[in-house]
Every structure is written in structure tokens, then in C-alpha cells.
Amino acid sequence: MRNYVFFSLIAIVYFAIRWIINHFIKNGVNKPYKKYTFISLIAAVLFLTVGTIASPTHRSSADQTSTSSRISSKHKKKNASNESKRKASISKANSIKEKESSESALSSSKKESESIAASKSESKEDSESIASSESESSKKQSEAESSSIAKASSESLVASSSSAKKASETSKTDNASYTQNGGWTTAASGMVFVSDSNKYYTSVKNPGNYQYMTQSAADNSGAKPAPRGNQYARP
């Protein structure tokens, strides 16, 4: 469009010069040339008018294009900014989720550790309780064994005392002499021979195999008179 304006101005200048020349040189100039000059002047004015009108339109169109370009650029920048903000928001949300997940995992791990520690503590308490129970049981068993041993010792002492008493009585009764006749040994009056089976006899062949005591002592010890005799002893 600027080319049109440029050529229009050249045409105006050219035909203006020719018109001035024609104005000052009136002689020898024919009418057709004068008419042609007038038409050229009108055409130049039309070109100039069209160029002048078209130039603002072109400028307006260029301005509109520039404005559109600027608006488009602004929209692009705005969209890019929004996209960047959206990405940042998504990244932040993901970071928060990861942080919450990590905290949840840490909390779960901490709870498991506390549960394991509690289980270990309970197990330790159970072990201590079992050990204490076993210790008490062992102590009671030891006391029972000690008591049993003491009782057995006491009973043994009593038995020893009884045996000593019997031996004393036997030694006392040994003075009550028995008589021997034809291989048989006969106890004195009120005396008997007590066998290992708690049977007592009045005559035996081997007095060393029997206990020689009074009949009352034999009865007190639980011995019974033999119901019948044999080849070694007689009731």
C-alpha cells in the first residue's frame, strides 16, 4: 500500500509540473494535451485519495494483527503460566501424598516396634513368672524333700532307738538262760525265740537265727505265736 502512495505522489508532482508548464506556455499547446493533463491530474488525485484511505485501513489491519499477536502471546503466556501452576500444584499434591504415606509408614513401623517391645516385655514377665514359679516349686520340693529326709531321719532314729531298746531288752533277757537238750534249745519260763517272720517259738535248734526276748515284748512288737512247728522250731 505504501508503493501506491509513493507512485501517486510522483504522479501528482509530475502532472503538477506539466500543468505549471502548460499554464505559463499557452501558445502552441493543443486542447487534447490539455485534456490529457487534466485527466492525469484527476487520476493522480484519485490514486492519492485511495492510497490515503487504504493506508489507515492497512495500518488498522496491521494494528489489529499486532494486537491479535500480542493477545495471542499473552494467552500463550497465561496458558503457560497456568500449566506451570497446575504442574506445581500436582507436584505439591504428590509431595504431600508421599509425605503422608511416609509418615503413615513410619507411624505403622513405630506401632509395630512398640507392639514387639510390649510382646518382648510380656514374654520377659512370663519368663520371670515361670522362673519364679519354678523356683518356688523347686523350693517347695526341696523343703518337702528336706522334710521327708528329716522325717526319715527321725523315723530311722526312732527305729534305731527301738532297736537299741530291743537290744537292751534282749541283752537284759540274755541273762535269763535257756537250756539245751539233745540239739534243741528250750527258752526259760516267760521267754520266747522270735523269727524273722514275726513268729515266736519256745524251742529251736539254732538260737542264733532268732531273737530271744520276753513273751510280753514279743507280743508288743507284733509277733504272734507260731501255729505249728517244724524240724527247726517248736511252738
PDB file of all heavy atoms in Angstrom, residues 27-41:
ATOM      1  N   ASN A  27       0.891  29.307 -25.655  1.00  0.00           N
ATOM      2  CA  ASN A  27       0.962  29.250 -27.097  1.00  0.00           C
ATOM      3  C   ASN A  27       1.560  27.911 -27.539  1.00  0.00           C
ATOM      4  O   ASN A  27       2.504  27.411 -26.941  1.00  0.00           O
ATOM      5  CB  ASN A  27       1.812  30.399 -27.648  1.00  0.00           C
ATOM      6  CG  ASN A  27       1.169  31.779 -27.338  1.00  0.00           C
ATOM      7  OD1 ASN A  27      -0.066  31.901 -27.361  1.00  0.00           O
ATOM      8  ND2 ASN A  27       1.994  32.775 -27.080  1.00  0.00           N
ATOM      9  N   GLY A  28       1.001  27.359 -28.573  1.00  0.00           N
ATOM     10  CA  GLY A  28       1.492  26.127 -29.164  1.00  0.00           C
ATOM     11  C   GLY A  28       1.039  24.877 -28.437  1.00  0.00           C
ATOM     12  O   GLY A  28       1.500  23.784 -28.729  1.00  0.00           O
ATOM     13  N   VAL A  29       0.150  24.973 -27.496  1.00  0.00           N
ATOM     14  CA  VAL A  29      -0.354  23.791 -26.754  1.00  0.00           C
ATOM     15  C   VAL A  29      -1.757  23.513 -27.236  1.00  0.00           C
ATOM     16  O   VAL A  29      -2.612  24.385 -27.205  1.00  0.00           O
ATOM     17  CB  VAL A  29      -0.355  24.054 -25.257  1.00  0.00           C
ATOM     18  CG1 VAL A  29      -0.873  22.852 -24.534  1.00  0.00           C
ATOM     19  CG2 VAL A  29       1.045  24.427 -24.786  1.00  0.00           C
ATOM     20  N   ASN A  30      -1.979  22.273 -27.682  1.00  0.00           N
ATOM     21  CA  ASN A  30      -3.285  21.917 -28.213  1.00  0.00           C
ATOM     22  C   ASN A  30      -4.229  21.497 -27.103  1.00  0.00           C
ATOM     23  O   ASN A  30      -3.820  21.163 -25.976  1.00  0.00           O
ATOM     24  CB  ASN A  30      -3.157  20.802 -29.271  1.00  0.00           C
ATOM     25  CG  ASN A  30      -2.405  19.592 -28.694  1.00  0.00           C
ATOM     26  OD1 ASN A  30      -2.181  19.515 -27.502  1.00  0.00           O
ATOM     27  ND2 ASN A  30      -2.044  18.687 -29.570  1.00  0.00           N
ATOM     28  N   LYS A  31      -5.496  21.416 -27.435  1.00  0.00           N
ATOM     29  CA  LYS A  31      -6.521  21.072 -26.444  1.00  0.00           C
ATOM     30  C   LYS A  31      -6.455  19.633 -25.984  1.00  0.00           C
ATOM     31  O   LYS A  31      -6.648  19.371 -24.807  1.00  0.00           O
ATOM     32  CB  LYS A  31      -7.914  21.389 -27.029  1.00  0.00           C
ATOM     33  CG  LYS A  31      -8.167  22.878 -27.173  1.00  0.00           C
ATOM     34  CD  LYS A  31      -9.565  23.123 -27.714  1.00  0.00           C
ATOM     35  CE  LYS A  31      -9.846  24.639 -27.861  1.00  0.00           C
ATOM     36  NZ  LYS A  31     -11.194  24.908 -28.370  1.00  0.00           N
ATOM     37  N   PRO A  32      -6.200  18.639 -26.867  1.00  0.00           N
ATOM     38  CA  PRO A  32      -6.135  17.238 -26.358  1.00  0.00           C
ATOM     39  C   PRO A  32      -5.078  17.066 -25.293  1.00  0.00           C
ATOM     40  O   PRO A  32      -5.258  16.344 -24.316  1.00  0.00           O
ATOM     41  CB  PRO A  32      -5.793  16.434 -27.603  1.00  0.00           C
ATOM     42  CG  PRO A  32      -6.327  17.252 -28.716  1.00  0.00           C
ATOM     43  CD  PRO A  32      -6.106  18.691 -28.335  1.00  0.00           C
ATOM     44  N   TYR A  33      -3.964  17.708 -25.469  1.00  0.00           N
ATOM     45  CA  TYR A  33      -2.917  17.588 -24.453  1.00  0.00           C
ATOM     46  C   TYR A  33      -3.385  18.205 -23.149  1.00  0.00           C
ATOM     47  O   TYR A  33      -3.107  17.673 -22.060  1.00  0.00           O
ATOM     48  CB  TYR A  33      -1.635  18.264 -24.964  1.00  0.00           C
ATOM     49  CG  TYR A  33      -0.472  18.106 -24.011  1.00  0.00           C
ATOM     50  CD1 TYR A  33       0.228  16.912 -23.974  1.00  0.00           C
ATOM     51  CD2 TYR A  33      -0.130  19.165 -23.154  1.00  0.00           C
ATOM     52  CE1 TYR A  33       1.259  16.788 -23.100  1.00  0.00           C
ATOM     53  CE2 TYR A  33       0.917  19.025 -22.281  1.00  0.00           C
ATOM     54  CZ  TYR A  33       1.622  17.820 -22.239  1.00  0.00           C
ATOM     55  OH  TYR A  33       2.644  17.683 -21.356  1.00  0.00           O
ATOM     56  N   LYS A  34      -4.084  19.295 -23.232  1.00  0.00           N
ATOM     57  CA  LYS A  34      -4.610  19.938 -22.044  1.00  0.00           C
ATOM     58  C   LYS A  34      -5.621  19.038 -21.347  1.00  0.00           C
ATOM     59  O   LYS A  34      -5.628  18.911 -20.126  1.00  0.00           O
ATOM     60  CB  LYS A  34      -5.246  21.278 -22.453  1.00  0.00           C
ATOM     61  CG  LYS A  34      -5.592  22.160 -21.286  1.00  0.00           C
ATOM     62  CD  LYS A  34      -6.282  23.436 -21.758  1.00  0.00           C
ATOM     63  CE  LYS A  34      -5.252  24.338 -22.466  1.00  0.00           C
ATOM     64  NZ  LYS A  34      -5.849  25.659 -22.815  1.00  0.00           N
ATOM     65  N   LYS A  35      -6.469  18.408 -22.182  1.00  0.00           N
ATOM     66  CA  LYS A  35      -7.460  17.456 -21.631  1.00  0.00           C
ATOM     67  C   LYS A  35      -6.769  16.279 -20.963  1.00  0.00           C
ATOM     68  O   LYS A  35      -7.131  15.837 -19.878  1.00  0.00           O
ATOM     69  CB  LYS A  35      -8.371  16.997 -22.773  1.00  0.00           C
ATOM     70  CG  LYS A  35      -9.479  16.075 -22.315  1.00  0.00           C
ATOM     71  CD  LYS A  35     -10.362  15.681 -23.500  1.00  0.00           C
ATOM     72  CE  LYS A  35     -11.464  14.762 -23.056  1.00  0.00           C
ATOM     73  NZ  LYS A  35     -12.320  14.323 -24.181  1.00  0.00           N
ATOM     74  N   TYR A  36      -5.725  15.750 -21.647  1.00  0.00           N
ATOM     75  CA  TYR A  36      -4.967  14.621 -21.103  1.00  0.00           C
ATOM     76  C   TYR A  36      -4.332  15.003 -19.782  1.00  0.00           C
ATOM     77  O   TYR A  36      -4.318  14.221 -18.833  1.00  0.00           O
ATOM     78  CB  TYR A  36      -3.911  14.184 -22.127  1.00  0.00           C
ATOM     79  CG  TYR A  36      -2.996  13.093 -21.629  1.00  0.00           C
ATOM     80  CD1 TYR A  36      -3.459  11.787 -21.473  1.00  0.00           C
ATOM     81  CD2 TYR A  36      -1.666  13.394 -21.280  1.00  0.00           C
ATOM     82  CE1 TYR A  36      -2.611  10.822 -21.012  1.00  0.00           C
ATOM     83  CE2 TYR A  36      -0.832  12.412 -20.820  1.00  0.00           C
ATOM     84  CZ  TYR A  36      -1.302  11.114 -20.683  1.00  0.00           C
ATOM     85  OH  TYR A  36      -0.465  10.148 -20.206  1.00  0.00           O
ATOM     86  N   THR A  37      -3.835  16.208 -19.700  1.00  0.00           N
ATOM     87  CA  THR A  37      -3.213  16.696 -18.460  1.00  0.00           C
ATOM     88  C   THR A  37      -4.233  16.766 -17.350  1.00  0.00           C
ATOM     89  O   THR A  37      -3.966  16.356 -16.203  1.00  0.00           O
ATOM     90  CB  THR A  37      -2.588  18.062 -18.680  1.00  0.00           C
ATOM     91  OG1 THR A  37      -1.613  17.961 -19.723  1.00  0.00           O
ATOM     92  CG2 THR A  37      -1.917  18.580 -17.415  1.00  0.00           C
ATOM     93  N   PHE A  38      -5.436  17.228 -17.619  1.00  0.00           N
ATOM     94  CA  PHE A  38      -6.496  17.329 -16.624  1.00  0.00           C
ATOM     95  C   PHE A  38      -6.939  15.951 -16.132  1.00  0.00           C
ATOM     96  O   PHE A  38      -7.113  15.718 -14.924  1.00  0.00           O
ATOM     97  CB  PHE A  38      -7.684  18.104 -17.230  1.00  0.00           C
ATOM     98  CG  PHE A  38      -8.819  18.318 -16.301  1.00  0.00           C
ATOM     99  CD1 PHE A  38      -8.699  19.223 -15.224  1.00  0.00           C
ATOM    100  CD2 PHE A  38     -10.015  17.622 -16.446  1.00  0.00           C
ATOM    101  CE1 PHE A  38      -9.749  19.410 -14.369  1.00  0.00           C
ATOM    102  CE2 PHE A  38     -11.045  17.816 -15.574  1.00  0.00           C
ATOM    103  CZ  PHE A  38     -10.926  18.718 -14.534  1.00  0.00           C
ATOM    104  N   ILE A  39      -7.057  15.026 -17.099  1.00  0.00           N
ATOM    105  CA  ILE A  39      -7.450  13.642 -16.731  1.00  0.00           C
ATOM    106  C   ILE A  39      -6.369  13.012 -15.846  1.00  0.00           C
ATOM    107  O   ILE A  39      -6.641  12.344 -14.857  1.00  0.00           O
ATOM    108  CB  ILE A  39      -7.703  12.797 -17.983  1.00  0.00           C
ATOM    109  CG1 ILE A  39      -8.964  13.314 -18.719  1.00  0.00           C
ATOM    110  CG2 ILE A  39      -7.852  11.325 -17.621  1.00  0.00           C
ATOM    111  CD1 ILE A  39      -9.172  12.690 -20.082  1.00  0.00           C
ATOM    112  N   SER A  40      -5.091  13.263 -16.248  1.00  0.00           N
ATOM    113  CA  SER A  40      -3.979  12.706 -15.462  1.00  0.00           C
ATOM    114  C   SER A  40      -3.983  13.270 -14.053  1.00  0.00           C
ATOM    115  O   SER A  40      -3.719  12.568 -13.067  1.00  0.00           O
ATOM    116  CB  SER A  40      -2.645  13.020 -16.149  1.00  0.00           C
ATOM    117  OG  SER A  40      -2.601  12.408 -17.415  1.00  0.00           O
ATOM    118  N   LEU A  41      -4.326  14.580 -13.942  1.00  0.00           N
ATOM    119  CA  LEU A  41      -4.366  15.201 -12.625  1.00  0.00           C
ATOM    120  C   LEU A  41      -5.470  14.576 -11.772  1.00  0.00           C
ATOM    121  O   LEU A  41      -5.268  14.263 -10.594  1.00  0.00           O
ATOM    122  CB  LEU A  41      -4.598  16.701 -12.773  1.00  0.00           C
ATOM    123  CG  LEU A  41      -4.633  17.508 -11.470  1.00  0.00           C
ATOM    124  CD1 LEU A  41      -3.317  17.370 -10.723  1.00  0.00           C
ATOM    125  CD2 LEU A  41      -4.927  18.975 -11.785  1.00  0.00           C
TER     126      LEU A  41
END
